[in-house]
Amino acid sequence: MTKQLPKIASLLFLLFSFLPQQGISQTITAKIIDGQTGESIPYANIIVNNSENLVSNSEGYFTLSEKNSDDAVQLLVSYLGYANQTLTVAELKRNQNKISLQPGMIELSDVTLNEKKLTALQIMANVKANLKNNYSVQKNATKDKIFFRESGYLTPKILNVEIDKSTGFTKDGLKKANKEIAAFTSKLITNPPKEYTDILCDYYHSVTQKEKMVYSTKMDVIKATKLKNENNAVSLDELEKSAVNILLTHLDTTKYYRIKSGWFGSRDTISLRKDFNKKKNKTKNTRLSSAKNSLNMFMYENSIINTAKFNFIDNHELYDYKYEGAKYSSDNEFIYVVSFKPRKSKAKYVGKLYISESDFAVLRVDYNLAEGKKEGGFNMKLLLGVKSLENVSNGTIIYKKSPSENGYHLHYVSQETGQYIYLNRPLKFIELTDEEKDVVAFDLKLEANQREKIEFLNIARSEIDHADVEKIKEEEFNFIKLKAYDASIWKNYIAIEPLAEMKQFKAED
């Protein structure tokens, strides 16, 4: 009898090892590749069960949530210039979580309209003529499920701060303050700060006509996470706040101060008094209002019809255009491919436009700052010791046809911006009093690069009644604060698959 126990134990082990797979779903991470070259395909569109949209990240990966990981779930994968592929999750698993797309069979060198060949400039003229029709404000009330990710990086090359004069410090206090500042700046140099913020929300938009057009937006945050080293600053504002807090811990907590830099003084009042900061905090934006304002501004800035940033769309005198051929869209529609580059000094970008043959809508934009160009800047390095140069601006923007109305809406965005920063200035904290003043003076030298990456995905859009938008009650939300990326947090939700750098990030204790 005892000889049978090992066999029985083995059978029970096999039985129970298979049972969880039948009852428990797991997220699935897959990769989309070119079937001929094996290279990853970024920004491919994945429609899940004909209802929700996913997009592969810049490394070609996407993740299905637990609810979308059942074998019967259907996926429709499409990308400009490639044949659509429809498959089930079961087939995806059999293919080892890889989807190979095959290039479209027809690559057109010439496309005609009304039996007449169009030049690149004629195509762009038609784009400009149809802008209002294709990108007008949505009249129907809509509900969008949106995923929004912001990634911030600050990389200081030089960061020196030293207090060289103080009427309020003792000698020991001055040494202590300089020691703390040196430790703070050294940490920023050796461990450059990063921050990743993810928000999944329902976003409501309504336009009503009364005496004038009234725009209403509501935001319901479903889940929000912040991956960050809490001890490190990531933005210039936070860097300034951290440095000021170190200094103020050695100043008189009952006094008020203002900051003076060189010839210039600040009107801002600084103090550690509890009554002062309590009153000041009342005017701060809530997390909800801040998140909604950021999202509103982002969508406005990336609408072709509302921004001057994309002057390569309508200012044809500034750019040279070249017709690169045509591709098939996922709807088997011909898509013009037009490249652009600067012709005059005011032009800043190079890139490609993918344009619908039927209505001349821009379906996709790939853009990058041309060599030697900058988006903006301020250079008073010699006179004021300040220089700021916006030298990074690139991205991919994809627009999608709205469900029932004519026109297109923002579907997916991946963009990066960055600037070079230089500061070399003396700063003073001066007590606000008519009597003998408490003064702290220090020298600040900073040279750094600051970058921001933003990803936006409209997962699903539906139309609702205007009255339903008014009924939505917005509620404040809290971020789930993380020290390392945790994929399980998003297992029940649709999210953009993070890049390797985000997955590998770990905050210091």
Side-chain angles (χ1 to χ4, degrees):
M1 188 72 179
T2 56
K3 293 181 180 179
Q4 299 297 319
L5 287 177
K7 292 183 178 180
I8 295 173
S10 298
L11 288 172
L12 289 173
F13 174 78
L14 289 172
L15 174 64
F16 284 103
S17 66
F18 282 103
L19 283 176
Q21 296 181 15
Q22 298 172 1
I24 300 176
S25 297
Q26 295 181 337
T27 60
I28 296 175
T29 298
K31 188 175 185 179
I32 302 176
I33 62 174
D34 184 303
Q36 294 184 355
T37 67
E39 296 180 354
S40 61
I41 297 180
Y43 318 134
N45 191 55
I46 305 101
I47 301 178
V48 183
N49 276 341
N50 201 33
S51 61
E52 297 177 320
N53 290 276
L54 278 173
V55 171
S56 60
N57 67 15
S58 61
E59 296 167 347
Y61 290 98
F62 69 94
T63 293
L64 297 171
S65 63
E66 283 192 354
K67 71 173 184 177
N68 291 328
S69 297
D70 292 339
D71 287 352
V73 170
Q74 288 194 334
L75 308 175
L76 172 60
V77 183
S78 61
Y79 189 75
L80 282 174
Y82 287 78
N84 293 354
Q85 186 172 155
T86 302
L87 71 164
T88 64
V89 169
E91 292 172 318
L92 176 64
K93 293 176 182 176
R94 287 197 291 271
N95 293 333
Q96 298 180 328
N97 294 353
K98 284 188 177 180
I99 300 174
S100 299
L101 296 184
Q102 298 298 325
M105 295 182 63
I106 298 178
E107 288 286 336
L108 300 180
S109 59
D110 296 320
V111 177
T112 60
L113 183 67
N114 295 328
E115 299 182 353
K116 182 179 179 181
K117 183 178 177 180
L118 297 178
T119 66
L121 200 56
Q122 287 173 328
I123 294 171
M124 294 307 301
N126 278 288
V127 168
K128 184 175 181 179
N130 285 274
L131 280 177
K132 289 185 178 180
N133 289 333
N134 289 326
Y135 303 98
S136 59
V137 176
Q138 187 87 8
K139 295 179 180 179
N140 295 335
T142 56
K143 174 185 176 182
D144 294 322
K145 187 174 292 296
I146 290 173
F147 183 86
F148 191 72
R149 172 177 292 147
E150 291 183 272
S151 306
Y153 313 80
L154 181 67
T155 309
K157 295 181 179 179
I158 300 173
L159 181 54
N160 296 323
V161 183
E162 184 177 0
I163 302 174
D164 53 24
K165 176 184 177 182
S166 172
T167 58
F169 282 131
T170 62
K171 288 184 178 180
D172 290 339
L174 185 59
K175 288 181 179 179
K176 183 179 180 181
N178 277 325
K179 186 176 180 180
E180 289 182 354
I181 293 171
F184 171 72
T185 56
S186 176
K187 187 175 182 180
L188 289 179
I189 294 289
T190 57
N191 185 26
K194 301 176 183 178
E195 178 180 316
Y196 304 92
T197 301
D198 287 350
I199 295 178
L200 177 67
C201 68
D202 286 330
Y203 178 87
Y204 302 85
H205 178 265
S206 175
V207 181
T208 54
Q209 178 74 52
K210 296 180 181 178
E211 294 181 358
K212 59 180 181 179
M213 300 290 286
V214 178
Y215 301 87
S216 176
T217 60
K218 299 285 184 71
M219 187 175 185
D220 178 23
V221 176
I222 300 169
K223 187 175 284 288
T225 64
K226 190 176 288 290
L227 175 58
K228 176 184 178 183
N229 187 342
E230 291 295 334
N231 297 321
N232 273 11
V234 73
S235 67
L236 289 181
D237 289 340
E238 289 180 306
L239 179 62
E240 179 185 4
K241 189 183 298 182
S242 299
V244 167
N245 286 339
I246 291 174
L247 290 170
L248 288 181
T249 57
H250 301 281
L251 298 179
D252 192 327
T253 59
T254 65
K255 296 179 179 179
Y256 297 94
Y257 299 87
R258 68 181 176 88
I259 297 178
K260 184 178 181 181
S261 178
W263 298 333
F264 302 97
S266 169
R267 294 182 179 180
D268 292 336
T269 301
I270 299 173
S271 177
L272 286 181
R273 290 173 61 107
K274 292 183 178 179
D275 56 342
F276 171 79
N277 290 305
K278 183 177 181 181
K279 180 179 179 181
K280 189 175 181 179
N281 287 338
K282 289 182 179 179
T283 61
K284 288 185 177 180
N285 290 333
T286 65
R287 286 180 294 276
L288 179 66
S289 63
S290 178
K292 189 169 77 168
N293 289 339
S294 295
L295 185 56
N296 286 340
M297 182 59 67
F298 176 83
M299 295 173 71
Y300 175 84
E301 288 176 346
N302 287 283
S303 172
I304 285 179
I305 201 170
N306 286 333
T307 178
K309 177 179 180 179
F310 305 120
N311 59 2
F312 46 78
I313 298 290
D314 60 354
N315 200 334
H316 302 155
E317 294 181 357
L318 299 181
Y319 287 87
D320 283 326
Y321 300 93
K322 181 180 178 182
Y323 179 60
E324 301 286 353
K327 297 179 179 293
Y328 274 123
S329 74
S330 58
D331 298 322
N332 292 321
E333 179 186 11
F334 288 140
I335 305 299
Y336 298 117
V337 182
V338 176
S339 63
F340 57 90
K341 63 180 181 180
R343 182 158 66 94
K344 294 187 177 180
S345 59
K346 289 184 179 180
K348 299 177 180 179
Y349 289 95
V350 296
K352 287 184 179 181
L353 299 165
Y354 298 81
I355 300 162
S356 166
E357 182 198 28
S358 63
D359 55 13
F360 293 96
V362 175
L363 304 181
R364 172 170 169 164
V365 181
D366 295 328
Y367 69 93
N368 203 340
L369 276 177
E371 186 176 354
K373 298 290 184 176
K374 60 182 182 294
E375 181 60 35
F378 176 80
N379 189 356
M380 297 293 286
K381 186 175 180 178
L382 296 178
L383 182 61
L384 302 176
V386 178
K387 182 178 180 180
S388 175
L389 184 66
E390 296 179 42
N391 54 4
V392 177
S393 180
N394 60 73
T396 292
I397 306 175
I398 299 173
Y399 302 91
K400 194 177 185 70
K401 203 169 186 65
S402 296
S404 63
E405 291 193 2
N406 293 328
Y408 296 77
H409 65 271
L410 197 63
H411 173 55
Y412 176 77
V413 180
S414 174
Q415 66 179 207
E416 180 181 13
T417 57
Q419 60 183 146
Y420 166 82
I421 303 155
Y422 177 88
L423 293 172
N424 189 0
R425 297 179 62 79
L427 297 178
K428 287 184 180 180
F429 288 84
I430 304 173
E431 181 188 355
L432 296 178
T433 179
D434 293 331
E435 302 175 359
E436 186 177 351
K437 298 180 185 295
D438 183 6
V439 178
V440 179
F442 66 99
D443 289 321
L444 168 65
K445 186 172 183 180
L446 167 67
E447 185 176 6
N449 287 298
Q450 185 176 20
R451 290 187 300 123
E452 182 183 42
K453 290 182 179 179
I454 295 180
E455 290 177 278
F456 167 99
L457 174 63
N458 192 324
I459 298 167
R461 165 168 284 197
S462 59
E463 293 185 359
I464 60 176
D465 292 334
H466 292 281
D468 291 335
V469 177
E470 299 302 320
K471 293 177 183 177
I472 299 296
K473 293 183 178 180
E474 295 181 309
E475 296 182 1
E476 186 60 285
F477 71 94
N478 291 315
F479 284 103
I480 300 172
K481 295 185 179 180
L482 305 173
K483 291 188 176 181
Y485 180 73
D486 184 359
S488 65
I489 288 179
W490 296 101
K491 66 181 182 180
N492 295 320
Y493 305 90
I494 287 182
I496 299 173
E497 178 68 9
L499 300 179
E501 64 177 11
M502 182 174 173
K503 291 181 178 180
Q504 295 166 3
F505 175 85
K506 289 185 178 180
E508 290 186 346
D509 293 328

